[in-house]
Amino acid sequence: MNQMNVAVPADGSLRHQGPELLLAHAAVKARPLTLGAAEGPCRIALVGFGTVGQSVARLLQSRSDERSLCLTYVCNRGIARKMASWTGPDVVWTESMQEILDSDADVVVELMGGLDPAYELVVRALRCGKSVVTANKQLIAHSGSHLLQLASEQGKYLGFGACVAGGVPVLSGLQDGLAGDRIVKIRGILNGTCNYILNRIEQGGISFAEALREAQQAGFAEADPSFDIDGQDAAAKLAILARVGLKVSLEPEKVTCRTIRNLSAIDFAYAKELGCTVRQISTATMKDGQIYAAVGPSLVGNDCSLAKVSGNQNLIVSTGEFGGDTMFGGQGAGGDPTAVAVLSDLMQAAGCRSAEQASFQPARVSSCEATLEVESSHYLRFVVRDRPGIIAALAAVFAKHRLNLHAILQKPGYEKECLPFVITLEPCAQRLLTMALDEIKGFDFLVEPPVSMPIVQ
Ligand SMILES: NC(=O)c1ccc[n+]([C@@H]2O[C@H](COP(=O)([O-])OP(=O)(O)OC[C@H]3O[C@@H](n4cnc5c(N)ncnc54)[C@H](OP(=O)(O)O)[C@@H]3O)[C@@H](O)[C@H]2O)c1
């Protein structure tokens, strides 16, 4: 998408002007013009003064070398409790978004999160001729195409580099650094909360509930952690990665999500026997014009780079048809790393860098239904009341659905009334496995529903 680093009237009237004027603007675009060069530094209005908003303000304060950016407004509800003298005397504090829209700010930085009122603010800011930078993955995953279209029509910049993987420049890497390749697959660890919980179960041999409680106490999980642990947070990020990297239109709701809630220490013990660990893996693959997109716990071989990711680290591996694998890794969350990504977008918005902004266009529209046809090896963990004939009963169902057993593992030392064991399957389609598991769930010897995970090679 071509982006014009020139001021455009709020009504977009540039598009209706004569050929000479358009040519003149094209020439202006060709040289690296600083936004507001004639009027001094780029004026920034922060909306949302929480974890990331405060880090952005501090980073702006500390970058005295960065004279092209100037914080002029901070907007938040209940603003009196947010006011801070360290931002300097020139900042206007307000709780009125209308005041921001009416102000002379060049760029609005949306850091409230959520869709309401963030969506309306961003639309109105673009419509009244302001560029926008946001870290809001939900907003971009759901409305990115429409907002980028609006920004383009208005000749304004919409930056969203902080939406995926915090401070890791994966979106600009996919958009610019790998522009010469055709990316066919993106997979990675995109959610720090899941990573923390899985690390704690693995290291401490504790239950999921205990690990979640620890994560909440340490500030790594929200009071309602569903969005993280059930996969929707990573699905929103994967949708943005797929749009920018694979150039495909992917709605986050179409991503197949599996929860990490049913995992326990025994899964890590069995994974270890298989030379693996367990991670929440997000995968989007293009094949024959179809997109396969899924988020969920997977067995990952200990040699795989994804197995070594811990804490709030994120790692994304993109696979190009020509360049092969490229890795993007680092701090995936936290105020300061995310603020770095916001500032990088602000510098671009201010015209300090000449690269074009990340774009969702052109996007192919593709069905996600085929995700269920993707073949992979699987790990299945059962907990049963032991009695003769259990393996025979399971094997009969697998045979009916043409699924091949690879191995059976059973660790000693467990009660017969609550006996865990693992079956691994040779590569098979998720659709066939789902049908088999639906039948198996009816068996009365099961103490709890089986746990199923793909094995990442
Ligand atoms: N934190 C991270 O590590 C991280 C990483 C990547 C991306 N992000 C994204 O960055 C954005 C901000 O995250 P955050 O962690 O900074 O969140 P946060 O700490 O909860 O800050 C949000 C701020 O926005 C204010 N706010 C919320 N709704 C508002 C409304 N309707 N009107 C006015 N002010 C409102 C909140 O005010 P109150 O104080 O009254 O609640 C708070 O000060 C989110 O989109 C998030 O997904 C965060």
Short mmCIF file of all heavy atoms in Angstrom, two decimals, residues 147-186:
data_model
loop_
_atom_site.label_atom_id
_atom_site.label_comp_id
_atom_site.label_asym_id
_atom_site.label_seq_id
_atom_site.Cartn_x
_atom_site.Cartn_y
_atom_site.Cartn_z
N LEU A 147 -9.60 -0.48 8.62
CA LEU A 147 -8.88 0.68 9.16
C LEU A 147 -7.72 1.08 8.24
O LEU A 147 -7.45 2.27 8.04
CB LEU A 147 -8.38 0.40 10.58
CG LEU A 147 -9.48 0.22 11.63
CD1 LEU A 147 -8.90 -0.19 12.98
CD2 LEU A 147 -10.30 1.51 11.79
N LEU A 148 -7.02 0.07 7.67
CA LEU A 148 -5.93 0.38 6.74
C LEU A 148 -6.47 1.05 5.48
O LEU A 148 -5.85 1.96 4.92
CB LEU A 148 -5.16 -0.88 6.38
CG LEU A 148 -4.07 -1.24 7.39
CD1 LEU A 148 -3.62 -2.68 7.20
CD2 LEU A 148 -2.87 -0.32 7.26
N GLN A 149 -7.63 0.57 5.05
CA GLN A 149 -8.27 1.18 3.87
C GLN A 149 -8.60 2.65 4.15
O GLN A 149 -8.32 3.54 3.36
CB GLN A 149 -9.56 0.38 3.56
CG GLN A 149 -10.37 0.89 2.40
CD GLN A 149 -9.62 0.73 1.08
OE1 GLN A 149 -8.82 -0.19 0.93
NE2 GLN A 149 -9.87 1.64 0.14
N LEU A 150 -9.15 2.88 5.34
CA LEU A 150 -9.52 4.25 5.72
C LEU A 150 -8.26 5.12 5.82
O LEU A 150 -8.24 6.26 5.32
CB LEU A 150 -10.26 4.21 7.07
CG LEU A 150 -10.73 5.54 7.64
CD1 LEU A 150 -11.68 6.24 6.68
CD2 LEU A 150 -11.42 5.32 9.00
N ALA A 151 -7.20 4.57 6.43
CA ALA A 151 -5.94 5.33 6.55
C ALA A 151 -5.41 5.68 5.17
O ALA A 151 -4.97 6.80 4.91
CB ALA A 151 -4.92 4.51 7.33
N SER A 152 -5.49 4.71 4.25
CA SER A 152 -5.00 4.94 2.90
C SER A 152 -5.81 6.04 2.21
O SER A 152 -5.26 6.93 1.57
CB SER A 152 -5.08 3.62 2.13
OG SER A 152 -4.82 3.83 0.79
N GLU A 153 -7.14 5.97 2.35
CA GLU A 153 -8.01 6.99 1.73
C GLU A 153 -7.70 8.37 2.28
O GLU A 153 -7.76 9.36 1.57
CB GLU A 153 -9.47 6.66 2.01
CG GLU A 153 -10.00 5.52 1.17
CD GLU A 153 -11.33 4.99 1.67
OE1 GLU A 153 -11.97 5.66 2.52
OE2 GLU A 153 -11.72 3.90 1.24
N GLN A 154 -7.34 8.42 3.57
CA GLN A 154 -7.08 9.71 4.20
C GLN A 154 -5.63 10.15 4.01
O GLN A 154 -5.25 11.23 4.45
CB GLN A 154 -7.38 9.63 5.71
CG GLN A 154 -8.84 9.35 6.04
CD GLN A 154 -9.72 10.53 5.68
OE1 GLN A 154 -10.43 10.50 4.69
NE2 GLN A 154 -9.67 11.59 6.46
N GLY A 155 -4.80 9.28 3.40
CA GLY A 155 -3.38 9.61 3.24
C GLY A 155 -2.66 9.66 4.57
O GLY A 155 -1.71 10.42 4.75
N LYS A 156 -3.12 8.84 5.50
CA LYS A 156 -2.54 8.84 6.85
C LYS A 156 -1.91 7.49 7.16
O LYS A 156 -2.16 6.48 6.48
CB LYS A 156 -3.61 9.17 7.89
CG LYS A 156 -4.10 10.60 7.80
CD LYS A 156 -2.98 11.54 8.16
CE LYS A 156 -3.15 12.89 7.50
NZ LYS A 156 -2.00 13.76 7.66
N TYR A 157 -1.14 7.44 8.22
CA TYR A 157 -0.40 6.24 8.61
C TYR A 157 -1.14 5.53 9.74
O TYR A 157 -1.62 6.16 10.67
CB TYR A 157 1.00 6.65 9.05
CG TYR A 157 1.85 5.53 9.60
CD1 TYR A 157 2.61 4.72 8.75
CD2 TYR A 157 1.90 5.29 10.97
CE1 TYR A 157 3.39 3.70 9.26
CE2 TYR A 157 2.69 4.27 11.48
CZ TYR A 157 3.42 3.48 10.61
OH TYR A 157 4.19 2.47 11.12
N LEU A 158 -1.24 4.21 9.64
CA LEU A 158 -1.78 3.40 10.74
C LEU A 158 -0.71 2.38 11.12
O LEU A 158 -0.40 1.48 10.34
CB LEU A 158 -3.07 2.69 10.32
CG LEU A 158 -3.64 1.67 11.31
CD1 LEU A 158 -4.07 2.34 12.62
CD2 LEU A 158 -4.81 0.92 10.71
N GLY A 159 -0.12 2.53 12.30
CA GLY A 159 0.96 1.65 12.74
C GLY A 159 0.45 0.67 13.78
O GLY A 159 -0.27 1.06 14.70
N PHE A 160 0.82 -0.63 13.63
CA PHE A 160 0.35 -1.63 14.58
C PHE A 160 1.42 -2.68 14.88
O PHE A 160 1.12 -3.82 15.22
CB PHE A 160 -0.95 -2.28 14.09
CG PHE A 160 -0.87 -2.83 12.69
CD1 PHE A 160 -0.49 -4.13 12.45
CD2 PHE A 160 -1.18 -2.02 11.61
CE1 PHE A 160 -0.40 -4.63 11.16
CE2 PHE A 160 -1.09 -2.51 10.31
CZ PHE A 160 -0.71 -3.82 10.09
N GLY A 161 2.69 -2.25 14.77
CA GLY A 161 3.80 -3.18 14.98
C GLY A 161 3.85 -3.78 16.37
O GLY A 161 4.43 -4.85 16.58
N ALA A 162 3.22 -3.09 17.36
CA ALA A 162 3.26 -3.59 18.75
C ALA A 162 2.17 -4.63 19.02
O ALA A 162 2.12 -5.17 20.12
CB ALA A 162 3.10 -2.42 19.72
N CYS A 163 1.32 -4.90 18.02
CA CYS A 163 0.18 -5.82 18.26
C CYS A 163 0.61 -7.27 18.41
O CYS A 163 -0.09 -8.06 19.02
CB CYS A 163 -0.82 -5.73 17.12
SG CYS A 163 -1.72 -4.19 17.08
N VAL A 164 1.72 -7.64 17.78
CA VAL A 164 2.15 -9.04 17.81
C VAL A 164 3.55 -9.11 18.40
O VAL A 164 4.46 -8.41 17.94
CB VAL A 164 2.17 -9.65 16.38
CG1 VAL A 164 2.67 -11.08 16.43
CG2 VAL A 164 0.79 -9.58 15.77
N ALA A 165 3.72 -9.90 19.45
CA ALA A 165 5.04 -10.21 20.00
C ALA A 165 5.75 -8.98 20.60
O ALA A 165 6.99 -8.91 20.56
CB ALA A 165 5.93 -10.89 18.96
N GLY A 166 4.99 -8.05 21.17
CA GLY A 166 5.57 -6.92 21.92
C GLY A 166 6.70 -6.24 21.18
O GLY A 166 6.49 -5.62 20.14
N GLY A 167 7.92 -6.34 21.71
CA GLY A 167 9.04 -5.61 21.14
C GLY A 167 9.73 -6.32 19.98
O GLY A 167 10.74 -5.82 19.47
N VAL A 168 9.23 -7.47 19.58
CA VAL A 168 9.90 -8.22 18.49
C VAL A 168 9.40 -7.68 17.14
O VAL A 168 8.21 -7.72 16.87
CB VAL A 168 9.57 -9.74 18.59
CG1 VAL A 168 10.30 -10.51 17.51
CG2 VAL A 168 9.90 -10.27 19.97
N PRO A 169 10.30 -7.19 16.30
CA PRO A 169 9.86 -6.55 15.04
C PRO A 169 9.48 -7.57 13.97
O PRO A 169 10.00 -7.56 12.86
CB PRO A 169 11.07 -5.71 14.63
CG PRO A 169 12.23 -6.42 15.20
CD PRO A 169 11.77 -7.11 16.46
N VAL A 170 8.55 -8.45 14.31
CA VAL A 170 8.22 -9.53 13.37
C VAL A 170 7.36 -9.03 12.22
O VAL A 170 7.54 -9.46 11.08
CB VAL A 170 7.56 -10.73 14.11
CG1 VAL A 170 6.29 -10.34 14.83
CG2 VAL A 170 7.28 -11.86 13.13
N LEU A 171 6.45 -8.07 12.49
CA LEU A 171 5.58 -7.62 11.39
C LEU A 171 6.39 -6.86 10.34
O LEU A 171 6.23 -7.09 9.14
CB LEU A 171 4.43 -6.77 11.93
CG LEU A 171 3.39 -7.52 12.77
CD1 LEU A 171 2.31 -6.58 13.27
CD2 LEU A 171 2.77 -8.66 11.98
N SER A 172 7.30 -5.97 10.81
CA SER A 172 8.10 -5.25 9.82
C SER A 172 9.09 -6.20 9.15
O SER A 172 9.42 -6.04 7.97
CB SER A 172 8.83 -4.06 10.46
OG SER A 172 9.61 -4.51 11.54
N GLY A 173 9.55 -7.22 9.89
CA GLY A 173 10.45 -8.22 9.29
C GLY A 173 9.76 -8.98 8.17
O GLY A 173 10.34 -9.20 7.10
N LEU A 174 8.51 -9.37 8.41
CA LEU A 174 7.76 -10.10 7.38
C LEU A 174 7.43 -9.18 6.21
O LEU A 174 7.53 -9.55 5.04
CB LEU A 174 6.47 -10.67 7.96
CG LEU A 174 6.59 -11.79 8.99
CD1 LEU A 174 5.24 -12.11 9.60
CD2 LEU A 174 7.19 -13.04 8.36
N GLN A 175 7.01 -7.96 6.57
CA GLN A 175 6.55 -7.00 5.55
C GLN A 175 7.69 -6.49 4.67
O GLN A 175 7.56 -6.45 3.45
CB GLN A 175 5.86 -5.83 6.24
CG GLN A 175 5.54 -4.65 5.36
CD GLN A 175 4.32 -4.89 4.49
OE1 GLN A 175 3.59 -5.85 4.71
NE2 GLN A 175 4.11 -4.03 3.51
N ASP A 176 8.80 -6.10 5.32
CA ASP A 176 9.89 -5.47 4.58
C ASP A 176 11.07 -6.42 4.36
O ASP A 176 11.50 -6.64 3.25
CB ASP A 176 10.38 -4.22 5.34
CG ASP A 176 9.27 -3.21 5.53
OD1 ASP A 176 8.44 -3.08 4.62
OD2 ASP A 176 9.22 -2.55 6.59
N GLY A 177 11.59 -6.97 5.48
CA GLY A 177 12.81 -7.78 5.39
C GLY A 177 12.66 -9.00 4.52
O GLY A 177 13.60 -9.41 3.84
N LEU A 178 11.47 -9.61 4.54
CA LEU A 178 11.26 -10.83 3.76
C LEU A 178 10.36 -10.59 2.55
O LEU A 178 9.79 -11.54 2.00
CB LEU A 178 10.67 -11.93 4.66
CG LEU A 178 11.61 -12.44 5.76
CD1 LEU A 178 10.90 -13.41 6.67
CD2 LEU A 178 12.85 -13.11 5.16
N ALA A 179 10.25 -9.32 2.16
CA ALA A 179 9.35 -8.99 1.04
C ALA A 179 9.72 -9.75 -0.23
O ALA A 179 8.87 -10.04 -1.07
CB ALA A 179 9.37 -7.48 0.78
N GLY A 180 11.00 -10.12 -0.36
CA GLY A 180 11.45 -10.78 -1.59
C GLY A 180 11.11 -12.25 -1.66
O GLY A 180 11.29 -12.89 -2.69
N ASP A 181 10.63 -12.81 -0.55
CA ASP A 181 10.32 -14.25 -0.54
C ASP A 181 8.80 -14.44 -0.59
O ASP A 181 8.03 -13.49 -0.44
CB ASP A 181 10.87 -14.88 0.75
CG ASP A 181 11.17 -16.36 0.59
OD1 ASP A 181 10.69 -16.96 -0.40
OD2 ASP A 181 11.87 -16.93 1.45
N ARG A 182 8.36 -15.67 -0.79
CA ARG A 182 6.93 -16.00 -0.67
C ARG A 182 6.79 -16.86 0.57
O ARG A 182 7.26 -18.00 0.61
CB ARG A 182 6.44 -16.75 -1.90
CG ARG A 182 4.92 -16.85 -1.95
CD ARG A 182 4.42 -17.57 -3.19
NE ARG A 182 4.81 -16.92 -4.42
CZ ARG A 182 5.50 -17.53 -5.40
NH1 ARG A 182 5.88 -18.77 -5.28
NH2 ARG A 182 5.82 -16.86 -6.49
N ILE A 183 6.19 -16.30 1.60
CA ILE A 183 6.11 -17.01 2.87
C ILE A 183 4.95 -18.00 2.81
O ILE A 183 3.84 -17.66 2.39
CB ILE A 183 5.96 -16.01 4.03
CG1 ILE A 183 7.20 -15.12 4.04
CG2 ILE A 183 5.82 -16.74 5.37
CD1 ILE A 183 7.21 -14.02 5.01
N VAL A 184 5.24 -19.24 3.22
CA VAL A 184 4.22 -20.29 3.12
C VAL A 184 3.77 -20.79 4.49
O VAL A 184 2.72 -21.44 4.60
CB VAL A 184 4.73 -21.48 2.26
CG1 VAL A 184 4.85 -21.08 0.82
CG2 VAL A 184 6.06 -22.02 2.79
N LYS A 185 4.56 -20.49 5.53
CA LYS A 185 4.19 -21.01 6.85
C LYS A 185 4.73 -20.09 7.94
O LYS A 185 5.85 -19.57 7.84
CB LYS A 185 4.80 -22.40 7.00
CG LYS A 185 4.50 -23.08 8.33
CD LYS A 185 4.83 -24.55 8.17
CE LYS A 185 5.25 -25.22 9.42
NZ LYS A 185 5.66 -26.60 9.22
N ILE A 186 3.89 -19.87 8.96
CA ILE A 186 4.34 -19.11 10.13
C ILE A 186 3.93 -19.92 11.35
O ILE A 186 2.77 -20.32 11.47
CB ILE A 186 3.65 -17.73 10.18
CG1 ILE A 186 4.06 -16.89 8.97
CG2 ILE A 186 4.01 -16.99 11.47
CD1 ILE A 186 3.28 -15.59 8.81
#
